[in-house]
Amino acid sequence: MSDIDVKYAALGGAAGWLGPATTPELVAPDGIGHYRHYRSGSIYWSPASGAHEAHGRIRDRWAALGWERSFLGYPVTDETAVPGGVGRYNHFQGGSIYWSPASDSHEVHGAIRGKWSSLGWERSFLGYPLTDESTTPDGIGRYNHFQGGSIYWTPTTGAHEVHGAIRGKWSSLGWERSFLGYPLTDESTTPDGIGRYNHFQGGSVYWTPATGAHEVHGAIRSLWSSMGWERSFLGYPTSDELSTEDGTGRYSEFQHGSIYWSPATGALACRETVRLHIKCLTAPTRFSINQMVSNMRLTYATAQVGVKYASFEVLNLPALNDLDVGACNMGNVTAEQVDLFSHRNNVTGNDVVAYFVHSTQPPFNGCAAFPAGRPGAAVASGASAWTLAHEIGHVLGLSHVNDNNRLMTGNGTDNITNPPPDLIASESTTMLASNSTN
Ligand SMILES: [Zn+2]
């Protein structure tokens, strides 16, 4: 008897589940092994692997890949039930094929199989493979998707799993074709024990139950890292990296602050945030609101104050569009200012509102006098690029100075000589202590 005959007899012969032979024992196309087909499966033998049966959907998958001439080679086990589960597998010389009712049969091999094995095979959070190993769209990497996540591999990064909300974020950004590239780690627990992260070639994705999953990368990530990651005062990211409204800067928001970056300033950590609402009666004519907000981000970041552009609303209030501001003295407002500043849709607590009006009467670029408990400022349509930042500076407690290098110059922000204008350390201290920064 051949080894194939011995295996057949052990499985019950013609009366067993394999049923009667449908071929004689034949030499396999690779010229090395032998095989014999039966009504309900096959037995393959080679000198290196011995004789093993394959059948059903696992045999179908192996056949589709090219039988023994595929990278899988010959089976080294019979089809076997997974421990305590519903699935089945054959191991082969070059990998494995796993089947379950929900996932059908798929092969897994090489470093990806090694990673899956190290995590606990189908009993891990990954569950069963949902794909064969496949080439990534960029042509460089390989992956298997599993029921509970994916494993990605490249020659330079090795094999790493990514799953859950972090995988969802990576997917939404474009997988390996995004700036993140391939994962460099499995999903890992942060040192504070609360969050989870994967590092990627081009950045990281951090997740917590409270914040969700957000990417952080580049100079902003470098600064956050140097500060101590999530253990810094910033905590976890609450946004992906965002562009400033005028496209000249970038920022990421965190639980307890933000990091701003621009080519001129590099990365700057902001430990407080002013929540800014824009309410527009007349759009400014010389500089856009977006440019003014972006300039505000730029100067305020140098004082460790971030800006949250919380809402925008158009107000149709023609009677207040040329706003009577009287002498524009802080704490001394007109009836029209009381009326205008009562419009606080979406505004909570000590959020700050900038009302863009056609003009102030008398004519100023803006006026930061506001009624008690309604912090904000009016900005006229002829305002300079720095008027918004300047007027909100007043709202946060800053006074005029006689220095045209500084944002708070009392000589008119059109006369600023060194954009972006300076906020000095004592002004930063005042802003950070303001009730309107959090
Ligand atoms: Zn002023």
Side-chain angles (χ1 to χ4, degrees), residues 13-236:
W17 58 265
L18 276 173
T22 58
T23 68
E25 183 169 324
L26 298 168
V27 175
D30 74 351
I32 297 170
H34 289 190
Y35 71 95
R36 195 166 188 184
H37 291 325
Y38 304 88
R39 189 177 62 203
S40 298
S42 303
I43 297 175
Y44 272 71
W45 169 90
S46 77
S49 60
H52 301 285
E53 62 83 11
H55 68 280
R57 290 297 291 157
I58 291 176
R59 179 178 173 275
D60 291 345
R61 182 69 57 186
W62 184 43
L65 293 167
W67 302 99
E68 80 287 351
R69 286 173 294 175
S70 71
F71 61 86
L72 287 172
Y74 287 89
V76 297
T77 68
D78 294 348
E79 185 179 301
T80 308
V82 300
V86 296
R88 313 275 297 176
Y89 67 92
N90 281 73
H91 290 325
F92 294 83
Q93 292 171 305
S96 301
I97 297 177
Y98 273 73
W99 171 92
S100 77
S103 60
D104 199 3
S105 62
H106 299 285
E107 64 81 12
V108 58
H109 70 280
I112 291 176
R113 180 178 178 274
K115 172 58 68 177
W116 185 45
S117 163
S118 75
L119 294 168
W121 303 100
E122 79 288 346
R123 284 169 293 176
S124 71
F125 61 87
L126 287 174
Y128 289 92
L130 295 177
T131 66
D132 292 350
E133 185 178 302
S134 306
T135 301
T136 51
D138 75 353
I140 296 169
R142 308 279 291 173
Y143 70 94
N144 281 76
H145 290 325
F146 295 83
Q147 292 171 307
S150 301
I151 297 176
Y152 275 73
W153 172 92
T154 73
T156 55
T157 60
H160 301 287
E161 64 80 12
V162 59
H163 70 280
I166 292 177
R167 181 177 177 274
K169 172 59 68 178
W170 186 44
S171 164
S172 75
L173 294 169
W175 303 98
E176 79 285 351
R177 286 172 294 177
S178 70
F179 60 86
L180 286 174
Y182 287 91
L184 296 177
T185 67
D186 294 347
E187 186 178 302
S188 307
T189 300
T190 52
D192 75 354
I194 297 169
R196 308 278 293 171
Y197 69 94
N198 282 74
H199 290 324
F200 294 83
Q201 292 173 302
S204 302
V205 178
Y206 274 74
W207 172 91
T208 71
T211 59
H214 301 286
E215 63 81 11
V216 58
H217 70 279
I220 291 175
R221 179 179 178 273
S222 295
L223 178 57
W224 186 47
S225 165
S226 74
M227 295 169 64
W229 303 100
E230 77 283 352
R231 287 170 295 177
S232 70
F233 69 77
L234 288 170
Y236 287 92

Side-chain angles (χ1 to χ4, degrees), residues 227-250:
M227 295 169 64
W229 303 100
E230 77 283 352
R231 287 170 295 177
S232 70
F233 69 77
L234 288 170
Y236 287 92
T238 57
S239 77
D240 293 351
E241 186 177 302
L242 302 168
S243 177
T244 59
E245 291 73 11
D246 67 353
T248 61
R250 310 280 295 175

Side-chain angles (χ1 to χ4, degrees), residues 2-24:
S2 72
D3 286 356
I4 287 178
D5 290 336
V6 171
K7 172 62 72 176
Y8 182 53
L11 294 171
W17 58 265
L18 276 173
T22 58
T23 68

Side-chain angles (χ1 to χ4, degrees), residues 390-391 394 400:
H390 174 99
E391 298 301 340
H394 285 311
H400 279 159

